[in-house]
Amino acid sequence: MTMMKHLIILLVLLACSAFVYASEDEDHVHHVEYSDGLGRCRQYMQSNAHWNHSTIFVDDDFSRDRMYVSMNITHKRAGAVKLVLRAKRDGEKVQQIRLKSYGHGGKGSNFVDTTFDDDASEHFPIWASEAPFMGDFQPDVALHRITGPAAAKWTLLALNRDGHTAKIDSWWLTFCENRDPRQDRTSFQDIANAQGITITPPAYQPAPHQPPAHYSGPNFLFDKRVRQNFWRTAVEAFARTTANYNSANYYVNQVKVMQKAAKLAGEKLVEAKENLKHHG
């Protein structure tokens, strides 16, 4: 009986070890290499569904001139999720940046092909009306703040504060190198050499001397003609303003006289009605 128990325990330990080994092997993903027009890129994808954290092991080194972090995450309320990216290398401290803060996305649901890119033109949306959140967005903290080579243990965390765990369905890292433009450029000298043509650069000829332009800065205010025009314009404006004021004042007085005459006429009319009542 005791031997049977030991055998069962041994089988359980072997099964656990096999599970752990398989899980670690899944995290060592293979890369896909392509060119995006600016240079070579390598993309590492983790397509095994995880809950609120998932890891990609990048074993081979590659240039990190540019970097992109993309993901598909299921959660009914994006505003309750904070996205964090970590990088760990042997013998070094963990480096961590925040891709997205709590609150952004509001009550909108799900992240669909969401990519964080330092050169994106906009930040992650605040309003839920833009859900599901697709496209390229600037991370809260720039990706280049994580220093070092591409080779590292990269972990994406989807932290939540509403009690509903986010599910990372898939995510992928893309590292790109910028191609040296000089490698794609053929100079006129190279073309000439190929055709046996000698190019003689033109002789240097200095530009002719240009006298300094006449300064007409603030001192022009003291010019005689400017002063005359200023005072003429000021006097004309004052005269027009005074004439307008006098005309307006005249019409105001006329209205007051008419109002006073109407008031007197009304009073006389009332008085005449009272007299008629008494004599009638």
Side-chain angles (χ1 to χ4, degrees):
M1 188 68 178
T2 303
M3 183 177 294
M4 183 62 69
K5 288 183 178 179
H6 290 168
L7 182 59
I8 292 174
I9 293 174
L10 180 60
L11 291 174
V12 170
L13 291 176
L14 288 174
C16 292
S17 299
F19 176 77
V20 171
Y21 175 79
S23 299
E24 291 182 351
D25 186 61
E26 287 175 352
D27 292 333
H28 289 76
V29 296
H30 299 288
H31 68 265
V32 176
E33 189 166 317
Y34 63 94
S35 176
D36 66 350
L38 299 176
R40 285 192 309 148
C41 296
R42 286 187 181 179
Q43 188 175 91
Y44 303 80
M45 174 175 281
Q46 178 58 274
S47 58
N48 296 301
H50 292 70
W51 288 105
N52 64 343
H53 69 282
S54 179
T55 299
I56 294 177
F57 286 92
V58 178
D59 297 323
D60 52 337
D61 201 358
F62 193 73
S63 176
R64 283 188 59 211
D65 294 333
R66 290 173 287 125
M67 177 179 176
Y68 312 97
V69 183
S70 307
M71 64 202 67
N72 290 302
I73 299 177
T74 301
H75 195 280
K76 65 178 183 180
R77 189 165 177 263
V81 176
K82 178 171 71 172
L83 299 175
V84 175
L85 180 67
R86 289 177 179 170
K88 178 68 173 69
R89 301 180 184 90
D90 292 339
E92 298 182 10
K93 293 182 178 179
V94 175
Q95 298 186 65
Q96 175 175 301
I97 61 169
R98 184 180 65 255
L99 301 176
K100 173 199 165 297
S101 303
Y102 287 124
H104 288 238
K107 295 182 179 180
S109 301
N110 302 331
F111 303 78
V112 179
D113 292 339
T114 305
T115 297
F116 290 94
D117 171 11
D118 286 346
D119 295 327
S121 59
E122 58 184 27
H123 292 278
F124 194 88
I126 296 177
W127 311 113
S129 58
E130 300 188 40
F133 303 100
M134 305 174 63
D136 296 355
F137 307 104
Q138 291 183 21
D140 287 358
V141 180
L143 296 171
H144 68 257
R145 293 289 296 273
I146 295 181
T147 59
K153 174 185 176 182
W154 298 88
T155 303
L156 175 65
L157 296 97
L159 308 176
N160 71 291
R161 61 179 182 182
D162 66 348
H164 297 86
T165 304
K167 182 183 178 184
I168 302 175
D169 300 309
S170 62
W171 73 293
W172 54 100
L173 292 168
T174 305
F175 303 104
C176 297
E177 64 177 5
N178 293 331
R179 182 175 56 240
D180 187 348
R182 292 175 295 182
Q183 298 176 357
D184 303 326
R185 185 175 60 220
T186 302
S187 66
F188 289 109
Q189 188 65 54
D190 294 335
I191 298 174
N193 292 339
Q195 298 181 1
I197 301 174
T198 301
I199 298 178
T200 303
Y204 171 72
Q205 294 181 354
H209 175 70
Q210 297 290 339
H214 176 69
Y215 176 71
S216 59
N219 289 334
F220 83 97
L221 294 174
F222 300 98
D223 184 81
K224 180 178 179 180
R225 288 173 299 176
V226 173
R227 292 200 305 271
Q228 290 175 348
N229 292 335
F230 170 77
W231 287 112
R232 184 185 303 112
T233 303
V235 169
E236 291 175 354
F238 178 77
R240 286 195 300 271
T241 303
T242 302
N244 292 337
Y245 173 78
N246 291 336
S247 298
N249 195 41
Y250 169 78
Y251 287 115
V252 168
N253 290 333
Q254 290 298 315
V255 171
K256 290 181 178 179
V257 170
M258 293 173 65
Q259 289 176 339
K260 187 176 180 180
K263 182 179 179 181
L264 292 174
E267 292 176 352
K268 290 182 178 180
L269 179 61
V270 171
E271 184 178 355
K273 288 182 178 180
E274 292 293 334
N275 293 332
L276 287 174
K277 286 181 180 180
H278 291 299
H279 290 86

